[in-house]
Amino acid sequence: MTIIRESDFIQSIADALQFISYYHPRDYIQALGAAYEAEQSPAARDAMAQILYNSRLCAEGRRPICQDTGSVVLFLKVGMDVRWDTKQSLQALVDEGVRRAYLNPDNVLRASIVSPPIGARKNTGDNTPAVVHVELVPGDQVEVRLAAKGGGSENKAKFAILNPSDSLVDWVLKTVPTMGAGWCPPGMLGIGIGGSAEKAMLLAKESLLGHIDIHELQARGPADPVEELRLELFEKVNALGIGAQGLGGLTTVLDVKILTYPTHAASLPVAMIPNCAATRHLDFVLDGSGPVQLEPPRLEDWPAITWAPDSAARRVNLDGLTRDEIASWRPGERLLLSGRLLTGRDAAHKRIADLLARGESLPEGVDLTDRFIYYVGPVDPVRDEIVGPAGPTTATRMDKFTEVMLGQTGLIGMIGKAERGPAAIESIKRHGAVYLMAVGGAAYLVSKAIKSSRLVAFEDLGMEAIREFEVEDMPVTVAVDSRGESVHQTGPAEWRERIAGIPVTVA
């Protein structure tokens, strides 16, 4: 009989979460490297270069790939001959491992979990609790499949119960464009088919823990209908032209994973969950011999790709910037920002909107006149860092506040990731403002451009507090210009037509 010691299990969870925070899976890096080599869209190619270079920096510096270090999900298969040397529940053991990982002083990870989910939504401070799924199986080992799932991709999860005669392919091709770019493509699509509503969602989530092997499948050919479906969806989703970061290009997904389960004769439950460019997952087995021993990847596994600011990019001084100057910027143009900007995301925007609605003044230091706001919740710094990884969060979530911010605060520009909705774009156009996009999945690289950081307001919001960053050559792309033209609309449309009209092998 195998005995799993409490300390071994907790240490294994903590070590695994630290490991995946800074090491991309080897299969993801190699697949993205191949996609980069095949990419023909300059904007998508630049975004991929930033993601790949960021990944290598994180592996070398052992710092998070993304500022959103994810919510923790585990799939545990516990052998029925296993005995646990503990008086705690499995949930408590997992949560202790999560706590130790996220509070590790050598590599602090961002705490993103709030409780309760409605009302106060107070940050738990240590990223607990995790979401744990347990299955009892024959045997004397414990199989652990673990992931840290970013909120930007998790928020794009989709579910439907189709009629048995409906086309699943049509549903996927109709649904993927509605997900926008907030899930930070290129990544993976996980699809669960069958079972019940909750089973389909679990299948989709679990499928994302598989290795990227679509190129092997292409080489040998499909062996069953599920593999045929994977190949068909891989080709047709990439043909949508969404591309890296939604900028338009040849590669939107690096793989499509599918798990199935028998279902009711009257139903066809289908779930789809994307995995972002900060793909983080790991599996290991505990056999009672001690905690898991994780072998770091070799730096030779990373493509020899570096990134440096484009010499043709426009350099912009944020201090003293005017509406006349930003009116000359055009969608897709690359900028290098220097100067001071404020940060703020969901909770800070809501507080500002509430203060303005009550006719109250903004907190001292929160003067947004002719300034830019960066949608970010950074990781806490360690050692000599100014700030930890500080990549952009999904700008679409701030759409509901855009008119208030542009109309009542004097704000002239916003920085985030992904597209803006119609109402936000109309507000940007009406006020002669701009929206700039930084690359999601390049958080450590972005943090290198931040030269100082100070807390300004709403300290109790933790990572969502308002800070002032001073940046130097922070790389961004004009996503929506002052005339309301969006690169997230024009880019994919252009590449969808090009893919349909030119012979091309999608990587």
Side-chain angles (χ1 to χ4, degrees):
M1 177 178 290
T2 297
I3 297 176
I4 304 296
R5 291 183 293 273
E6 175 182 295
S7 59
D8 291 344
F9 184 79
I10 291 172
Q11 182 179 335
S12 296
I13 299 299
D15 289 350
L17 289 170
Q18 278 284 310
F19 189 92
I20 65 175
S21 76
Y22 43 73
Y23 291 139
H24 261 128
R26 182 173 178 269
D27 56 286
Y28 177 84
I29 287 300
Q30 294 189 332
L32 184 59
Y36 169 83
E37 295 297 339
E39 186 57 66
Q40 297 177 26
S41 162
R45 190 175 169 86
D46 181 73
M48 289 184 191
Q50 289 194 43
I51 294 169
L52 286 165
Y53 186 50
N54 178 80
S55 178
R56 186 183 183 94
L57 289 176
C58 293
E60 292 173 335
R62 295 199 173 189
R63 288 296 274 146
I65 296 165
C66 181
Q67 79 288 338
D68 182 352
T69 51
S71 56
V72 178
V73 58
L74 276 85
F75 289 86
L76 301 175
K77 290 186 177 180
V78 180
M80 288 185 284
D81 292 329
V82 166
R83 178 183 169 191
W84 293 85
D85 182 15
T86 183
K87 294 183 179 180
Q88 298 191 67
S89 67
L90 266 179
Q91 180 73 52
L93 295 178
V94 170
D95 286 347
E96 181 56 29
V98 173
R99 185 173 297 109
R100 293 185 187 184
Y102 278 72
L103 298 180
N104 186 319
D106 291 327
N107 180 42
V108 177
L109 305 181
R110 196 185 80 181
S112 301
I113 301 301
V114 296
S115 180
I118 58 174
R121 290 177 63 87
K122 184 179 179 181
N123 197 302
T124 63
D126 56 15
N127 222 55
T128 64
V131 176
V132 183
H133 306 286
V134 183
E135 181 183 357
L136 288 176
V137 298
D140 60 357
Q141 296 180 328
V142 176
E143 178 184 329
V144 181
R145 305 188 76 194
L146 165 151
K149 191 71 165 57
S153 58
E154 189 75 352
N155 289 349
K156 303 301 181 178
K158 303 295 181 181
F159 173 77
I161 297 184
L162 306 180
N163 292 321
S165 60
D166 289 344
S167 167
L168 184 144
V169 172
D170 287 349
W171 178 79
V172 171
L173 296 180
K174 179 181 70 175
T175 304
V176 167
T178 70
M179 290 160 45
W183 59 281
C184 287
M188 295 197 298
L189 285 183
I191 297 176
I193 307 171
S196 54
E198 76 280 9
K199 182 65 175 179
M201 292 299 287
L202 282 174
L203 291 170
K205 179 65 68 66
E206 190 172 6
S207 75
L208 291 172
L209 302 179
H211 295 294
I212 295 175
D213 61 358
I214 198 74
H215 296 89
E216 297 171 19
L217 180 54
Q218 286 176 318
R220 65 171 171 81
D224 55 49
V226 169
E227 291 187 345
E228 290 179 3
L229 182 59
R230 285 181 61 198
L231 288 173
E232 181 179 5
L233 288 173
F234 179 74
E235 178 182 354
K236 290 182 175 179
V237 169
N238 280 324
L240 294 172
I242 295 168
Q245 302 291 301
L247 295 170
L250 300 181
T251 300
T252 301
V253 291
L254 299 173
D255 203 344
V256 177
K257 313 299 286 188
I258 299 175
L259 291 178
T260 67
Y261 197 83
T263 192
H264 193 284
S267 303
L268 182 58
V270 182
M272 180 165 60
I273 305 176
N275 228 9
C276 64
T279 293
R280 293 169 296 219
H281 61 86
L282 186 66
D283 54 81
F284 58 89
V285 172
L286 296 177
D287 59 7
S289 61
V292 65
Q293 300 297 313
L294 300 172
E295 183 178 348
R298 303 171 307 159
L299 288 179
E300 293 79 12
D301 292 336
W302 272 262
I305 295 170
T306 58
W307 180 90
D310 187 346
S311 60
R314 185 195 298 231
R315 281 187 153 79
V316 173
N317 181 5
L318 292 168
D319 300 325
L321 198 60
T322 66
R323 292 181 189 270
D324 287 342
E325 185 173 350
I326 67 174
S328 67
W329 301 349
R330 292 295 174 259
E333 184 177 2
R334 296 175 192 173
L335 310 178
L336 295 172
L337 306 181
S338 296
R340 295 171 299 127
L341 54 80
L342 292 172
T343 75
R345 36 180 285 160
D346 310 64
H349 276 71
K350 187 177 187 307
R351 284 203 183 172
I352 289 173
D354 289 345
L355 287 170
L356 293 173
R358 295 194 298 265
E360 299 178 19
S361 300
L362 298 183
E364 184 178 350
V366 184
D367 182 358
L368 295 167
T369 304
D370 293 337
R371 299 196 66 181
F372 276 66
I373 194 165
Y374 181 28
Y375 303 148
V376 62
V379 177
D380 288 342
V382 298
R383 297 179 287 279
D384 59 348
E385 291 179 343
I386 300 297
V387 66
T393 196
T394 306
T396 320
R397 298 200 314 273
M398 266 52 74
D399 281 4
K400 63 191 293 184
F401 302 109
T402 301
E403 177 58 30
V404 169
M405 296 294 287
L406 296 181
Q408 299 186 43
T409 70
L411 186 72
I412 61 172
M414 300 151 285
I415 307 167
K417 70 171 184 176
E419 73 287 346
R420 304 308 296 264
I425 291 175
E426 181 57 35
S427 182
I428 290 169
K429 179 180 179 180
R430 180 165 49 251
H431 294 286
V434 292
Y435 165 60
L436 311 178
M437 189 209 80
V439 172
Y444 196 38
L445 176 62
V446 172
S447 72
K448 302 295 186 182
I450 301 170
K451 303 307 178 183
S452 70
S453 172
R454 69 179 182 89
L455 181 70
V456 174
F458 307 148
E459 182 177 6
D460 62 299
L461 295 181
M463 61 98 172
E464 295 208 62
I466 294 179
R467 295 172 173 82
E468 184 179 70
F469 287 168
E470 184 172 354
V471 299
E472 182 179 317
D473 287 347
M474 176 180 173
V476 295
T477 298
V478 179
V480 181
D481 70 3
S482 60
R483 301 171 301 171
E485 184 177 341
S486 170
V487 74
H488 287 102
Q489 295 173 356
T490 58
E494 174 191 345
W495 281 90
R496 186 162 53 249
E497 293 179 3
R498 291 190 61 180
I499 292 169
I502 61 176
V504 61
T505 300
V506 178

